[in-house]
């Protein structure tokens, strides 16, 4: 054993996080290559508590330190802005100072109703990320830093205004459709209900699709990146419709795992919007489409459910 290790100044130790309710807390799973990473889910306003467990790497080692701190950090991490990491929240706890240990030692922590204003988000070019950062400062050795990610969800109240959508798709003297959806704002486990009316059909259509498209915008002028991703496709019709025919639409959102709430200028860096696209393909593979913006929000599962309304009949 060298002198520094004997004095507890150069020894290493292992760090683990144990949460107060980790056996019952739900987990968020994100794919990373061929494997999945799992993060405990916390709701806005929930306290985060548990223990940091420190264990000397070698039996008999003594670890001396100046301070041990634990921070709860929220960051926007982007590849398209000059400051790649922008911190929007940071709360710190002092676990211990001017101490040492030679065996497994547990340090309790609790962040009481921490400030977590945004939902976690893992996109193509940006992340909204929360993590616990443990730092042990030592005099004659490098600092020990460990990080543990968590996942944050925020519930929203039902929108006060949620008007139905009614739009038209037309090609002069060839095609005239009307489509209606019961609302313009949906929670993530909702069902989109609507109807499509064929008022004029003089082209030979092969099929029709309903798509949910996510638009992720990152950065600020002039460094702005936009990514479009089709999250779901639903075949509404296969074949040639007749004039006066109507087709019901019923799309369950709960099975779309990549669906997130809509975000508007999170920390002035991230915006995520959604559109509902109606796509028609004719026999020559020409595509006709109409898109309408829709908004998604996360409903509290304990809140009363919102009744769905059937769209009115076209006259």
């Amino acid at each position: 054993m060298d002198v520094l290790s004997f004095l507890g100044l150069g020894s290493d130790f292992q760090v683990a996080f144990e949460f107060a309710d980790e056996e019952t807390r739900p987990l968020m799973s994100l794919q990373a290559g061929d494997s999945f990473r799992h993060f405990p889910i916390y709701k806005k306003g929930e306290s985060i508590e548990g223990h940091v467990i420190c264990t000397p790497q070698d039996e008999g080692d003594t670890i001396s330190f100046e301070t041990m701190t634990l921070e709860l950090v929220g960051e926007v991490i982007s590849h398209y802005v000059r400051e790649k990491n922008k911190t929007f929240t940071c709360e710190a706890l002092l676990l211990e100072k001017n101490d040492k240990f030679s065996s497994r030692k547990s340090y309790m922590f609790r962040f009481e109703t921490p400030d977590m204003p945004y939902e976690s988000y893992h996109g193509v070019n940006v992340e909204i990320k929360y993590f616990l950062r443990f730092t042990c400062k030592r005099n004659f050795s490098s600092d020990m830093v460990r990080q543990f990610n968590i996942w944050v969800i925020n519930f929203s109240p039902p929108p006060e205004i949620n008007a139905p959508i009614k739009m038209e798709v037309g090609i002069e003297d060839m095609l005239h459709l009307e489509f209606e959806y019961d609302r313009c704002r949906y929670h993530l486990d909702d069902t989109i209900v609507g109807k499509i009316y064929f008022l004029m059909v003089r082209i030979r259509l092969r099929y029709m699709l309903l798509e949910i498209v996510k638009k992720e915008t990152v950065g600020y002028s002039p460094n702005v990146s936009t990514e479009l991703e089709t999250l779901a496709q639903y075949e509404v019709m296969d074949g040639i419709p007749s004039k006066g025919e109507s087709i019901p639409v019923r799309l369950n959102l709960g099975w779309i795992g990549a669906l997130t709430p809509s975000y508007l200028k999170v920390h002035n860096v991230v915006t995520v919007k959604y559109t509902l696209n109606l796509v028609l393909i004719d026999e020559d593979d020409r595509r006709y489409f109409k898109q309408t913006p829709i908004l998604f929000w996360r409903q509290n599962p304990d809140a009363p459910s919102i009744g769905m309304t059937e769209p009115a009949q076209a006259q």
Side-chain angles (χ1 to χ4, degrees), residues 219-235:
Y220 33 81
S221 183
N223 299 316
V224 177
S225 169
T226 299
E227 292 283 345
L228 296 177
E229 182 180 3
T230 301
L231 300 186
Q233 279 190 341
Y234 169 68
E235 189 172 286

Side-chain angles (χ1 to χ4, degrees), residues 103-145:
S103 60
R104 184 180 186 271
K105 191 163 184 179
S106 175
Y107 300 91
M108 187 177 68
F109 67 86
R110 179 180 174 87
F111 292 97
E112 185 74 36
T113 59
D115 182 25
M116 300 186 291
Y118 311 124
E119 277 220 0
S120 298
Y121 174 75
H122 185 83
V124 177
N125 292 315
V126 68
E127 289 182 73
I128 302 172
K129 186 175 182 178
Y130 291 88
F131 55 90
L132 299 178
R133 183 167 58 205
F134 168 84
T135 305
C136 178
K137 287 190 171 291
R138 298 184 281 183
N139 270 329
F140 298 99
S141 184
S142 59
D143 295 345
M144 171 75 77
V145 181

Side-chain angles (χ1 to χ4, degrees), residues 1-2 5 10-14 55-63 101-104:
M1 180 182 296
D2 60 30
S5 296
S11 302
D12 285 328
F13 61 97
Q14 297 175 342
T55 308
Q57 185 166 300
D58 297 319
E59 187 176 350
D61 282 354
T62 297
I63 312 297
F101 60 93
S102 56
S103 60
R104 184 180 186 271

